[in-house]
Amino acid sequence: MAEAPEEILSDTGVDNDTEAVSQRYKLLIAYDGSAFHGWQKQEPPDAPVLRTVQGVMHDALLRLFKQPINLVGASRTDSGVHAKGQVAHFEAVSRVPVERMAMAINSRLPEDIEVRQAEAVSPGFDSIRCAVTKQYTYTIHNIDERPLGLRHLVYHYRHTLDADLMNGAAQRLVGEHDFEGFSAAGHGRESTIRTIHRCEVKRDGGQVVITVEGNGFLWNMVRIIAGTLLEVGRGRFEPEHIDEILRTAERQLAGPTLPPHGLCLEWIKHEWTDQEERA
Amino acid sequence: MAEAPEEILSDTGVDNDTEAVSQRYKLLIAYDGSAFHGWQKQEPPDAPVLRTVQGVMHDALLRLFKQPINLVGASRTDSGVHAKGQVAHFEAVSRVPVERMAMAINSRLPEDIEVRQAEAVSPGFDSIRCAVTKQYTYTIHNIDERPLGLRHLVYHYRHTLDADLMNGAAQRLVGEHDFEGFSAAGHGRESTIRTIHRCEVKRDGGQVVITVEGNGFLWNMVRIIAGTLLEVGRGRFEPEHIDEILRTAERQLAGPTLPPHGLCLEWIKHEWTDQEERA
């Protein structure tokens, strides 16, 4: 191998050994959340390490790139929550061409998780800060028959729901509101103001699917929205009750937090410039 | 409580205490086979009892009826194989009205299995001997993306299959044939002649679904048919090769036995008279 004398590097300002350049990458990640304790890597002292999405991804990236990796995910999905479109970023000095990177990572991942796309991005990309819109779905299996093989992917609720009534009520959530009443305590966010761009409830055969798009979500927000719309659909809440929860911001006025396994992070849209942001 | 003197019973020939009459019942059972070691109850001496469909069902029936129960299933599905329409029969002296029996059994069953229908039948009904037609499906997840949450319900095969070519080849299986070449060794059946009424291959988005209906199936027969049609779909076998396997009855000429988790017993049709058969 030819050596690169120091003066050449300093002369041109370019490292000809491109393998040595650190590059930022954006990953699109899908997973079945059933066997994961959520996204976030947990390293409790003197406790068994829990299997998390970030932890399993981090292990695979370490084995592939053999260097310290800091993987930052856009959404810290809870235990049991699924994703078709989680987005994360990391930086690495990679010998793997970007078009083969997804496959290279996947060959080091178990069957319940997959990188669907890997992309080289400018340092201005940050999976959390550049996220502008996210879409979640919550799926209710709304027939008497048990979901059996799908039981980890849907929430089974037997009493027939009026999806049209739920959809009407859902429109009251659209817009910029204080969603404090639709969030779990201890969310630790400074502001509880969020904008919901779209909230739709549709029946598809035996399933009632709630789709929510917004610029951000508080802790458990989609699951509480789903639980509140369920109360509308079964006739316990009037649609107008939604306005009351928004007005008072009282969590106890809203419906229950539905279980995590009906929830899926569908996609996240990002906007960024080629310039690195310097805070 | 009024006592029923013996002379009244013998006088009318009818036991007024209807609870004391043993009755035969037909059950329609659905299950996710992922966590079951097949249908058949296994009680190996000096070995841990494996979790089987028959075993779990038997436990539930014992707890409900509190009497010895002999549950006979129409199809001994293998480990990992699913069912939407398994059929079984048993006899019991029941205090549970038949219209509430499915619910009563289900309340004693885990989440991955369900009785979909319970019916009082004449003693002439036998789930094995009265079965006249069965339908199975084999589902191939035929896109590059991993099936993730569906991975226990479909077989993932990435190379794109020509479903139309497979469907053409499948027609060569229809009719009465010796299916020895499409069966695993050690099936222990006297005859290997079976009639396939229908064999169809259809692409539905990313899935290729093989549907097979017949009057009976040899051990692993549907999984070997699926493996053989897969070889046609990927271009390794010509459709005419099917005729060769039927003609020679040579197992090694057929394709591989595809894994169990893509297989589902869809339904079983029975025909019986009200008279008990006496062999």
Side-chain angles (χ1 to χ4, degrees):
Chain A
M1 300 296 290
E3 280 176 43
E6 236 175 71
E7 61 264 39
I8 293 188
L9 282 180
S10 57
D11 207 34
T12 62
V14 173
D15 182 352
N16 287 318
D17 181 9
T18 55
E19 289 171 359
V21 175
S22 181
Q23 166 69 49
R24 184 165 284 214
Y25 295 97
K26 173 180 185 256
L27 299 180
L28 182 69
I29 308 168
Y31 45 88
D32 168 14
S34 312
F36 288 106
H37 289 265
W39 166 266
Q40 196 149 9
K41 193 168 179 174
Q42 299 183 18
E43 287 176 337
D46 305 323
V49 173
L50 295 173
R51 184 178 189 263
T52 66
V53 179
Q54 192 183 29
V56 166
M57 280 296 307
H58 187 251
D59 286 353
L61 295 173
L62 274 190
R63 274 180 287 145
L64 178 60
F65 296 114
K66 297 178 174 64
Q67 60 196 278
I69 298 280
N70 182 29
L71 181 72
V72 181
S75 283
R76 283 175 294 165
T77 54
D78 281 331
S79 189
V81 174
H82 315 290
K84 289 182 187 158
Q86 173 70 281
V87 174
H89 76 264
F90 69 99
E91 269 174 32
V93 177
S94 169
R95 292 160 182 270
V96 184
V98 70
E99 63 275 14
R100 285 193 222 147
M101 189 176 285
M103 209 198 297
I105 300 170
N106 286 337
S107 69
R108 288 157 179 88
L109 286 175
E111 275 191 314
D112 52 353
I113 176 166
E114 178 170 59
V115 173
R116 296 251 157 113
Q117 204 184 319
E119 199 182 331
V121 288
S122 63
F125 177 81
D126 181 291
S127 61
I128 297 177
R129 284 187 294 152
C130 305
V132 290
T133 325
K134 295 178 185 179
Q135 188 191 80
Y136 282 93
T137 53
Y138 195 94
T139 305
I140 303 170
H141 182 84
N142 192 221
I143 49 174
D144 205 48
E145 288 184 355
R146 294 183 182 180
L148 300 176
L150 301 177
R151 69 192 179 283
H152 299 302
L153 305 176
V154 297
Y155 168 58
H156 192 196
Y157 184 78
R158 282 191 164 88
H159 185 88
T160 304
L161 296 169
D162 184 335
D164 288 337
L165 195 65
M166 290 166 77
N167 188 53
Q171 303 322 308
R172 295 170 180 267
L173 292 162
V174 175
E176 188 182 76
H177 301 286
D178 181 349
F179 285 96
E180 172 90 52
F182 290 94
S183 74
H187 49 72
R189 307 278 177 142
E190 286 164 21
S191 165
T192 49
I193 309 280
R194 295 290 183 279
T195 300
I196 297 282
H197 301 303
R198 179 183 165 219
C199 189
E200 197 177 82
V201 185
K202 268 195 182 168
R203 177 173 287 276
D204 178 11
Q207 296 192 334
V208 172
V209 182
I210 302 168
T211 304
V212 194
E213 274 173 46
N215 68 349
F217 294 91
L218 305 169
W219 193 27
N220 283 356
M221 181 168 149
V222 181
R223 290 163 57 189
I224 297 170
I225 286 176
T228 305
L229 292 173
L230 182 141
E231 296 288 30
V232 172
R234 66 188 275 231
R236 227 194 102 211
F237 286 173
E238 294 296 320
E240 296 74 23
H241 186 69
I242 301 277
D243 303 337
E244 188 69 6
I245 306 163
L246 290 172
R247 197 181 56 76
T248 61
E250 291 283 353
R251 169 67 187 92
Q252 61 266 39
L253 292 186
T257 306
L258 294 192
H261 58 275
L263 188 61
C264 182
L265 170 58
E266 297 286 333
W267 50 253
I268 307 173
K269 276 188 194 150
H270 287 85
E271 282 176 8
W272 70 99
T273 62
D274 284 347
Q275 297 307 307
E276 184 165 10
E277 270 184 56
R278 302 273 181 202
Chain B
M1 299 297 291
E3 281 175 41
E6 236 175 68
E7 60 264 38
I8 294 188
L9 282 178
S10 55
D11 206 33
T12 62
V14 173
D15 184 352
N16 288 317
D17 181 8
T18 54
E19 289 170 358
V21 175
S22 182
Q23 167 70 49
R24 185 165 284 215
Y25 295 97
K26 173 179 184 256
L27 299 181
L28 182 70
I29 308 168
Y31 45 89
D32 168 14
S34 312
F36 288 105
H37 289 265
W39 167 265
Q40 196 149 10
K41 193 167 179 173
Q42 299 183 18
E43 286 175 337
D46 305 322
V49 174
L50 295 174
R51 184 178 188 264
T52 67
V53 179
Q54 192 183 29
V56 166
M57 279 296 307
H58 188 251
D59 286 351
L61 295 173
L62 273 190
R63 274 180 287 143
L64 178 60
F65 296 114
K66 298 177 174 64
Q67 59 196 278
I69 298 280
N70 181 30
L71 182 71
V72 181
S75 284
R76 283 176 295 166
T77 54
D78 281 330
S79 189
V81 174
H82 316 290
K84 288 181 187 158
Q86 173 70 284
V87 174
H89 76 264
F90 69 99
E91 269 175 34
V93 177
S94 170
R95 292 160 183 269
V96 184
V98 70
E99 64 274 15
R100 285 192 221 145
M101 190 176 284
M103 208 197 300
I105 301 169
N106 286 336
S107 70
R108 288 157 178 88
L109 286 175
E111 276 191 315
D112 53 353
I113 175 166
E114 178 171 59
V115 173
R116 296 252 156 113
Q117 204 185 319
E119 200 181 332
V121 288
S122 63
F125 177 81
D126 181 291
S127 62
I128 297 177
R129 283 187 293 151
C130 304
V132 290
T133 325
K134 295 178 185 181
Q135 188 190 80
Y136 282 92
T137 54
Y138 196 93
T139 305
I140 303 170
H141 182 84
N142 191 223
I143 50 174
D144 204 49
E145 288 185 356
R146 295 182 182 183
L148 299 177
L150 302 176
R151 69 192 179 282
H152 299 301
L153 305 175
V154 296
Y155 168 59
H156 192 195
Y157 184 77
R158 283 192 164 88
H159 185 88
T160 304
L161 295 169
D162 184 336
D164 289 337
L165 195 64
M166 291 166 76
N167 188 53
Q171 302 323 308
R172 296 170 179 267
L173 293 162
V174 175
E176 188 182 76
H177 300 285
D178 181 349
F179 285 95
E180 172 90 50
F182 291 93
S183 74
H187 50 73
R189 307 276 177 142
E190 286 164 22
S191 164
T192 50
I193 309 280
R194 295 290 183 278
T195 301
I196 296 283
H197 303 301
R198 181 183 164 217
C199 190
E200 197 177 82
V201 185
K202 268 194 181 170
R203 177 173 287 277
D204 178 12
Q207 296 191 334
V208 172
V209 182
I210 301 168
T211 304
V212 194
E213 273 172 47
N215 67 348
F217 294 91
L218 304 170
W219 194 27
N220 283 356
M221 180 168 149
V222 181
R223 290 162 59 189
I224 298 170
I225 287 177
T228 305
L229 292 174
L230 182 140
E231 296 288 30
V232 172
R234 66 189 275 233
R236 227 194 102 211
F237 285 172
E238 293 297 319
E240 295 75 23
H241 185 69
I242 302 277
D243 304 337
E244 189 69 7
I245 307 163
L246 289 173
R247 197 180 57 75
T248 60
E250 292 283 353
R251 169 68 187 91
Q252 62 266 37
L253 292 186
T257 306
L258 294 193
H261 58 274
L263 188 62
C264 182
L265 170 58
E266 298 285 334
W267 50 254
I268 306 174
K269 275 187 195 151
H270 287 85
E271 281 176 10
W272 72 99
T273 63
D274 284 348
Q275 297 306 308
E276 184 166 9
E277 270 183 57
R278 301 273 180 202

